[in-house]
Amino acid sequence: MAGSFHRVLCADCENEQVVFGKASSVVSCAVCGTTLATPTGGEAELHGDVVETVEAR
Ligand SMILES: [Zn+2]
């Protein structure tokens, strides 16, 4: 089952972090700890600006 990856820009510190589109746990910014994504059971809800989306094959 393929998913996609999103490069998310942290709103607080502008760190770019790669988040799996179907993340099953909360993803926090590695720099400041702000929540970048929360799981919904399907596509994770993203909380920063998505810089780029990469489809996995
Ligand atoms: Zn941050």
Side-chain angles (χ1 to χ4, degrees), residues 9-17 28-36:
L9 187 69
C10 175
D12 284 354
C13 72
E14 300 189 333
N15 173 51
E16 279 184 16
Q17 192 158 322
S28 300
C29 173
V31 176
C32 72
T34 292
T35 299
L36 295 180

